[in-house]
Amino acid sequence: GVCLLLLGTFISARAQEPSYAAPPPFKLLSKSEKQQLSSETEIADRTKLAIALMDTRLKAAEMSHADEDFQVMYADLGGFQALMDNTIEFLTRSGTHQGKVLNNLKKFEIALRTISPRIESIRRELPGNLEPYDKNLLKYISQTREKAMEPFFSDTVTPRVRN
């Protein structure tokens, strides 16, 4: 009797878990975001704008999460990720040996560091089918932070001492 009761409880608990993970959202910049970013030619101004746009997307995702509008939240997280990708690509293409670029890579990395806890707080209360993407997004942010810091440890910035 106890075994059947435990088995029944286990089966009903498993039935409540989603058996699929939602596909990741599209990583798309809005038309407005594209226009704003392309109009900024100065590296520092463009980095500052990108960080502000990422924050706007994340705030929108947090509000949608609070309203339990997970589809809109998901789309905003995809837009956030697109902005993050666009910014790291822009900065690494801009010549990482330049001091200006290094300063902005550092600002970008610091901004990403503050974002991870916000994504984590969203993840804690997500439906199970959306959690895998949010978990992967956290890993992706960490990898992007590493990418932003790589130029600081290259031979062109800190020459290796050879014995």
Side-chain angles (χ1 to χ4, degrees):
V2 172
C3 288
L4 285 175
L5 179 64
L6 289 175
L7 184 61
T9 304
F10 177 75
I11 290 171
S12 69
R14 296 285 299 166
Q16 292 171 359
E17 292 178 14
S19 58
Y20 64 92
F26 292 109
K27 295 191 291 183
L28 298 172
L29 298 175
S30 71
K31 196 174 196 175
S32 168
E33 290 167 338
K34 285 179 190 174
Q35 288 172 340
Q36 289 178 65
L37 289 170
S38 65
S39 71
E40 285 297 345
T41 54
E42 193 61 39
I43 291 172
D45 293 339
R46 191 182 186 289
T47 302
K48 189 182 288 187
L49 173 64
I51 291 169
L53 291 172
M54 287 168 44
D55 186 59
T56 300
R57 282 288 195 142
L58 193 52
K59 280 179 183 167
E62 288 167 331
M63 288 176 61
S64 297
H65 177 262
D67 296 340
E68 295 187 10
D69 190 347
F70 298 118
Q71 284 187 325
V72 172
M73 178 207 71
Y74 215 48
D76 280 320
L77 289 176
F80 162 82
Q81 192 171 357
L83 285 162
M84 184 173 58
D85 285 350
N86 181 283
T87 304
I88 193 70
E89 286 172 24
F90 171 80
L91 289 170
T92 53
R93 270 195 331 260
S94 296
T96 54
H97 57 280
Q98 299 174 0
K100 276 185 185 179
V101 175
L102 291 175
N103 285 338
N104 285 285
L105 280 166
K106 190 163 106 181
K107 286 177 188 173
F108 181 62
E109 190 275 335
I110 289 169
L112 290 178
R113 199 181 314 165
T114 65
I115 286 169
S116 292
R118 292 169 67 185
I119 301 283
E120 182 63 44
S121 70
I122 288 174
R123 188 181 74 78
R124 282 190 211 117
E125 298 170 19
L126 277 181
N129 66 324
L130 299 179
E131 190 180 8
Y133 168 72
D134 208 55
K135 208 172 188 179
N136 287 336
L137 180 58
L138 284 165
K139 286 180 192 169
Y140 196 76
I141 290 169
S142 179
Q143 292 166 348
T144 304
R145 285 180 55 205
E146 287 175 23
K147 228 185 262 186
M149 295 310 293
E150 279 173 8
F152 288 92
F153 301 101
S154 72
D155 283 344
T156 59
V157 176
T158 313
R160 291 195 181 136
V161 177
R162 302 197 197 295
N163 292 333

